[in-house]
Amino acid sequence: FEGPVIRKAQELGLRSADEAELRLVPNIAGHVGSDITAGLIATDILEKDKGHLFIDIGTNGEIVFSGNGRIATCSTAAGPAFEGSSIAQGMRAASGAIERVDLSDEGVKIGVIGDSKPIGICGSGIIDAIGEMVRTGVVDKTGKLLPPEKLSKKGVPQAIIDSIGKNDEGYYLTLYKDPEGNDITITQKDVREIQLAKAAIKAGEETLMSELGMSKDDLEKVSIAGAFGSYIKKESAVNCGLIPDVDRDKIFSIGNSAGIGASMALLSEEAFEETVRAAETIEHVELATRSDFQEKYMLAMRF
């Protein structure tokens, strides 16, 4: 549908007061839906007076970029890796999920949801793990997980090297050594899955920047929306290439912006009208028709 939808709630089979309305704020285009429209009015991105990147990361990565008096959006198919699916021991963010990973001279340290025994790793933990592996050199620029002898020559701390193992499928990093043998690891295939997903996001970001005649140096603000964005570390997101390498003080996790914007649109007629103006104003960039997207995507594969 285009434009806002306003109906009596009872017309749609919802139990409600007789005169209660159901309101849907407008879609922008394709996979850039009403949740993004609502989320945008909870930020200052619609002012278009500064370089501002808004990103909602999920199976589809919705990206909005404003600046130079314009605002544009696109949707890119990141796949399910950021949500734990397609990762060997990936899981949703529930009790027992590794949500934090730090690599240091002391080895591998993890944070687990619910302070319980680790049983898998969720999206924020995966981003942390890959970001730390890139930062410390465990993974090279091509995404290859390096063998212990090469890591030793590079000066990687021995405590980290001791966590590197190998099986028939290649090298892996052990995050949690389980006495019962149910170790939690990051495999070479896991790295590749994240590599593909982050490349799609990064290429979408760079396509929008190119469309608006801007670069990461013009960015004054990066807003990461959604529950996922609330838990990932800025440094890890930058290290793995998910968001541009800008001053960390410019990066903000804004939580459930869609929920905030929806509340605003229900409680304020002016806010509801702003969602309509936003959907009409934002330029939609269809990546499938862009000849430069595939090239940017291939380059974005590198860490």
Side-chain angles (χ1 to χ4, degrees):
F1 64 92
E2 293 182 351
V5 175
I6 303 176
R7 294 283 187 274
K8 289 286 181 63
Q10 290 188 354
E11 291 178 15
L12 298 172
L14 298 176
R15 294 178 62 186
S16 69
D18 291 343
E19 299 302 314
E21 287 184 346
L22 181 139
R23 293 187 170 200
L24 296 179
V25 300
N27 288 313
I28 296 171
H31 292 288
V32 187
S34 300
D35 56 337
I36 303 303
T37 314
L40 295 179
I41 69 165
T43 75
D44 59 355
I45 194 170
L46 297 172
E47 295 173 8
K48 299 180 285 189
D49 60 344
K50 61 174 178 287
H52 188 166
L53 170 66
F54 172 101
I55 179 169
D56 191 324
I57 303 166
T59 301
N60 286 309
E62 285 84 27
I63 306 163
V64 184
F65 202 104
S66 75
N68 284 344
R70 295 172 64 192
I71 182 168
T73 186
C74 70
S75 177
T76 182
F82 293 136
E83 296 173 336
S85 185
S86 77
I87 301 299
Q89 291 169 287
M91 62 178 289
R92 65 186 182 89
S95 182
I98 295 174
E99 62 172 344
R100 285 280 182 270
V101 178
D102 290 292
L103 302 184
S104 69
D105 292 347
E106 299 175 5
V108 182
K109 288 188 175 182
I110 59 172
V112 183
I113 296 176
D115 291 326
S116 56
K117 177 182 176 180
I119 57 174
I121 182 167
C122 66
S124 61
I126 293 162
I127 295 300
D128 256 10
I130 302 298
E132 286 288 88
M133 291 163 80
V134 171
R135 180 185 66 81
T136 56
V138 172
V139 165
D140 69 12
K141 294 294 183 183
T142 70
K144 184 179 179 181
L145 214 160
L146 299 178
E149 56 271 21
K150 285 194 175 182
L151 297 179
S152 183
K153 289 180 181 178
K154 291 176 66 174
V156 174
Q158 188 60 45
I160 296 175
I161 296 174
D162 290 342
S163 297
I164 302 293
K166 187 180 183 182
N167 57 25
D168 294 340
E169 297 176 357
Y171 291 100
Y172 58 86
L173 174 70
T174 301
L175 301 180
Y176 172 70
K177 190 74 173 175
D178 183 33
E180 298 176 7
N182 299 315
D183 297 351
I184 310 297
T185 64
I186 293 289
T187 68
Q188 178 66 74
K189 182 178 181 297
D190 294 337
V191 175
R192 296 300 185 202
E193 291 287 343
I194 293 298
Q195 204 170 357
L196 291 166
K198 73 93 181 178
I201 298 288
K202 186 175 182 179
E205 292 169 352
E206 293 185 346
T207 300
L208 289 188
M209 283 191 270
S210 176
E211 175 67 26
L212 270 57
M214 303 176 73
S215 72
K216 71 171 187 176
D217 295 332
D218 299 309
L219 272 175
E220 295 181 38
K221 191 173 186 180
V222 177
S223 296
I224 308 174
F228 179 79
S230 298
Y231 294 102
I232 59 174
K233 285 192 302 194
K234 299 176 184 180
E235 201 67 35
S236 296
V238 170
N239 286 340
C240 75
L242 192 57
I243 57 176
D245 188 359
V246 298
D247 189 318
R248 307 304 182 259
D249 291 338
K250 296 179 179 180
I251 303 171
F252 300 89
S253 293
I254 59 174
N256 185 10
S257 59
I260 295 168
S263 299
M264 291 168 62
L266 282 173
L267 295 170
S268 163
E269 195 67 36
E270 182 180 351
F272 186 76
E273 291 171 359
E274 188 177 10
T275 68
V276 179
R277 289 193 298 272
E280 293 172 345
T281 302
I282 297 171
E283 305 168 41
H284 180 242
V285 176
E286 181 57 67
L287 297 179
T289 65
R290 296 281 302 220
S291 59
D292 57 341
F293 175 72
Q294 195 63 33
E295 180 182 349
K296 293 182 189 301
Y297 177 74
M298 294 304 294
L299 290 172
M301 286 287 290
R302 292 181 65 82
F303 282 113

